[in-house]
Amino acid sequence: MSIQLRPVLERFFSYYMNERNLEKTVSCVAENIISIGTGEHETAVGKEAFTRLYRQEFELAPDPLAFELRGYTEHVYNDNFGSVSCTVHITQFPQTPDELSFDGLLIADIVREGQQWLIASLHMSFPLERPFHWFIQMNYSADSSRQIISRTQYEIVRLLSKVLPGGVLGFYLTEGFPLYLINDELLGYLGYTYDEFRAATGGSSLDLLFAEDRVLVQQHLIKSLADKTECYLECRANRKDGTFIWISVRARKFISDDGTAAVICAIIDITNTIAFQEKLQQDISRDVLTPILNRKAAVAQIEESFKYCRTGTFFILDIDNFKKLNDTEGHQTGDEILQALAKLLLDAVCEQEIAARLGGDEFILYCPGLTDAEKARQKALSIQTAFAQTVCAQYPHIQLSISIGAAEREGDDSFNQLYTKADIALYEVKNTQKGSYKMNIDEKKYGQCQQDRA
C-alpha cells in the first residue's frame, strides 16, 4: 500500500496557519512531539509544552496566514515512519498584490499511532535576518545588551502588515522612553537623516513629540499599557524644520529577554487627514453665505465659554430696511451686504469673542468677560460706524443702518435667556429709533413686548 505523508502536513498547516485553531493543531502531533524553531524560545518537548508554546503564539498573533508547500520531498521508511522536507511559503491572508511574505525551511518526522499519522518532530527555521529584517530597514539600535525576543519579531510583521507603508518606532518603557529602533519611513516623515535624528533626540523617544503633547502621551502609554498589551493614540511629532506633523500611533508592549518592558509602535503620518477633518468641521460650522459661524456652532461655543467665564455681554444685530434693499437692488446685492457685515464683525472680534449669523439679516456677537456697560456701548457703536462708512454710503436712498440690542449675562443665564433679553432690547430699538443701541430692559416688559409682536 502506497503511503503519502503530504496530506498530514497539509492538514497540520491548515489548522495552524489558516484557521489558527490550537485544538486542531495539537491534534496533529504525537504525544512526545519535539518542536524546534529558529529562536531559543521556540523549542518544545512533549505535547503539553507544544500546546503552551503555540497558545502563546496564537494569543500574540491571532490573524490567519496563507501557506504553500514548495520543493516538497518525503521518505517513507516503513509502514509506521517517514520524514518530509520542504519550504513553507507564508503570506498574508487573504493574499494581496503587495503581500508580505517569507519562507521557512521545514523538516519533520511523521509516525503512525494506531490508525492515525501524527507529527513526531518538527523543525522549522528561517534565515538569520528573520522576516522583520526583510521588510523593515532599521537604522537605529540603542547600545544595549537587551535583545528583542524572536517571537516579537513575528509580532512586528503582523502589526506592520496592517499599516504599511508606515513608520516604526521602538522604545523601552522606562524613564525617558529610551529608543532602540526607528525606520527610514519615520525618519522621512520627520525630515532627518539617521545621524541628525540621533543627535537631536539624544536617544529619548519623548523628544520626538511636540512639547505640549509629551506629558499626556507619556501618561497615556503608562496607564494604557499597565493592564493591556496594545493601545492607540494620535499626537504631534516635531520635524527637523521646526514644524510638526500629526501621527497615529499603534503601540504594542512586550517583555525583552532581561525582563524589561519594551514597546514597538506602528506610525502613520495623518497630517492631511487631520487637516481635512478640521476643514470639514469648519465647513459644517460656517454659515453657507458668509464667512462666520452658523447658529448651531455659535450656540455650542457660547455655551462652552460659560464653563470658563460666567460673565459676558450678548449682542443681537439687525440690518434696518434690508427687505427694501432686496426689493430694489436685488437679492445678490442683499447677499453682498450680509457678507460685508459678517466681515466687519470678524474684524471687530477679539480671540475669545464669538460672532455668527443666525439667519436672514440677524447676526449675534458674544463677548465673554465684558461687563463694562460703556465698553459694550463703544463696541456696538464701532460696528455701526464701520457699517455706515463702508456699506450705507453706497445706497443712500435705502437708509440702511444697524440696530443692536444687548444683554449682560447675570448669574447662570442660559443662551436662550441671554437671547431673550437682548431680543427685547432690539425690539425696542426697532420700534423707537432704528440704527441705535440699547442694553437690556426691565424683564417685566417681556410679556407686553411679546403681545405687541404677536
Side-chain angles (χ1 to χ4, degrees):
M1 179 179 66
S2 175
I3 298 173
Q4 293 185 337
L5 303 179
R6 182 167 182 146
V8 180
L9 210 57
E10 294 273 9
R11 184 170 63 252
F12 170 83
F13 277 100
S14 178
Y15 295 154
Y16 172 41
M17 294 288 187
N18 297 164
E19 297 185 24
R20 304 301 270 171
N21 186 307
L22 179 62
E23 183 177 354
K24 289 183 178 180
T25 301
V26 173
S27 72
C28 294
V29 303
E31 195 66 30
N32 296 319
I33 176 72
I34 298 175
S35 176
I36 303 174
T38 301
E40 62 183 274
H41 299 275
E42 299 176 340
T43 299
V45 178
K47 207 168 190 176
E48 182 177 343
F50 179 93
T51 303
R52 186 165 56 248
L53 177 66
Y54 278 64
R55 178 181 292 112
Q56 292 173 354
E57 178 176 321
F58 287 5
E59 289 175 352
L60 187 65
D63 294 345
L65 297 168
F67 75 95
E68 179 183 356
L69 303 184
R70 297 177 175 178
Y72 179 86
T73 61
E74 69 177 45
H75 299 279
V76 179
Y77 299 104
N78 55 50
D79 291 345
N80 298 308
F81 178 74
S83 63
V84 300
S85 64
C86 63
T87 296
V88 183
H89 180 70
I90 302 170
T91 60
Q92 292 172 267
F93 186 86
Q95 295 172 306
T96 60
D98 55 347
E99 66 186 17
L100 183 66
S101 64
F102 50 95
D103 295 324
L105 177 63
L106 173 74
I107 300 173
D109 293 325
I110 300 177
V111 299
R112 186 200 295 271
E113 289 188 0
Q115 298 301 313
Q116 287 185 302
W117 283 91
L118 301 173
I119 298 173
S121 70
L122 188 68
H123 182 193
M124 192 164 182
S125 60
F126 296 91
L128 291 177
E129 296 85 11
R130 293 288 298 193
F132 111 60
H133 290 292
W134 297 0
F135 303 114
I136 311 164
Q137 180 59 43
M138 296 299 178
N139 278 330
Y140 189 98
S141 180
D143 296 328
S144 169
S145 61
R146 299 187 183 108
Q147 298 293 320
I148 307 302
I149 61 174
S150 55
R151 195 163 300 283
T152 300
Q153 296 174 357
Y154 178 83
E155 171 59 16
I156 292 172
V157 174
R158 188 189 73 83
L159 185 62
L160 291 181
S161 68
K162 297 181 178 180
V163 297
L164 288 174
V168 181
L169 179 71
F171 58 87
Y172 294 107
L173 206 57
T174 57
E175 184 176 356
F177 289 0
L179 286 156
Y180 64 79
L181 62 87
I182 188 171
N183 75 334
D184 283 344
E185 187 77 12
L186 184 52
L187 288 170
Y189 290 168
L190 305 177
Y192 284 106
T193 65
Y194 164 64
D195 292 334
E196 290 171 340
F197 169 80
R198 189 162 188 173
T201 63
S204 171
S205 62
L206 290 177
D207 286 349
L208 284 173
L209 303 179
F210 193 66
E212 295 178 7
D213 296 351
R214 290 174 190 170
V215 173
L216 287 176
V217 170
Q218 185 176 23
Q219 291 174 346
H220 177 78
L221 286 170
I222 291 174
K223 182 179 179 181
S224 298
L225 297 178
D227 54 3
K228 56 185 179 181
T229 58
E230 191 170 314
C231 69
Y232 176 83
L233 59 93
E234 294 178 358
C235 61
R236 293 167 290 182
N238 293 318
R239 300 189 78 250
K240 178 185 173 183
D241 62 7
T243 61
F244 67 81
I245 60 171
W246 278 96
I247 56 174
S248 73
V249 182
R250 187 168 296 280
R252 181 87 180 195
K253 182 181 74 173
F254 61 94
I255 305 300
S256 60
D257 283 359
D258 68 355
T260 303
V263 176
I264 183 72
C265 300
I267 295 175
I268 297 178
D269 181 355
I270 57 170
T271 305
N272 291 338
T273 301
I274 294 293
F276 174 76
Q277 290 174 346
E278 289 178 348
K279 184 180 184 304
L280 183 61
Q281 184 60 45
Q282 188 178 68
D283 291 345
I284 294 173
S285 301
R286 296 292 169 181
D287 178 58
V288 175
L289 178 64
T290 64
I292 59 176
L293 296 176
N294 57 31
R295 180 188 185 99
K296 182 177 181 180
V299 172
Q301 290 192 21
I302 291 171
E303 290 178 340
E304 181 66 22
S305 76
F306 293 165
K307 298 177 182 178
Y308 64 82
C309 185
R310 296 185 62 185
T311 61
T313 298
F314 181 82
F315 304 84
I316 302 179
L317 302 85
D318 184 87
I319 302 176
D320 301 315
N321 299 319
F322 184 71
K323 183 178 184 303
K324 183 178 179 181
L325 175 75
N326 276 333
D327 291 343
T328 58
E329 302 294 330
H331 287 279
Q332 182 174 346
T333 299
D335 289 348
E336 292 173 355
I337 297 302
L338 294 174
Q339 292 167 346
L341 177 55
K343 186 176 185 305
L344 288 176
L345 283 173
L346 287 179
D347 292 341
V349 299
C350 300
E351 184 177 355
Q352 301 299 324
E353 297 174 344
I354 301 162
R357 179 186 176 215
L358 294 193
D361 62 333
E362 186 175 71
F363 292 75
I364 63 170
L365 171 64
Y366 182 64
C367 303
L370 178 58
T371 57
D372 187 307
E374 178 57 24
K375 288 183 178 180
R377 189 182 73 82
Q378 289 296 330
K379 187 89 169 178
L381 180 60
S382 68
I383 295 171
Q384 290 172 324
T385 301
F387 185 78
Q389 293 174 345
T390 60
V391 177
C392 299
Q394 301 178 48
Y395 307 97
H397 57 292
I398 305 295
Q399 296 181 317
L400 294 172
S401 59
I402 297 289
S403 292
I404 302 178
E408 182 181 336
R409 188 172 190 243
E410 299 173 335
D412 292 322
D413 282 348
S414 66
F415 172 84
N416 288 337
Q417 289 171 316
L418 263 180
Y419 179 88
T420 296
K421 291 194 291 186
D423 190 40
I424 295 171
L426 175 65
Y427 177 73
E428 285 209 339
V429 169
K430 299 284 283 187
N431 282 278
T432 55
Q433 186 180 357
K434 290 182 178 180
S436 62
Y437 161 81
K438 186 173 182 61
M439 165 75 80
N440 290 38
I441 64 167
D442 185 347
E443 291 191 41
K444 292 181 181 178
K445 297 181 180 180
Y446 173 71
Q448 184 60 49
C449 288
Q450 291 297 91
Q451 292 178 13
D452 292 344
R453 297 174 97 170

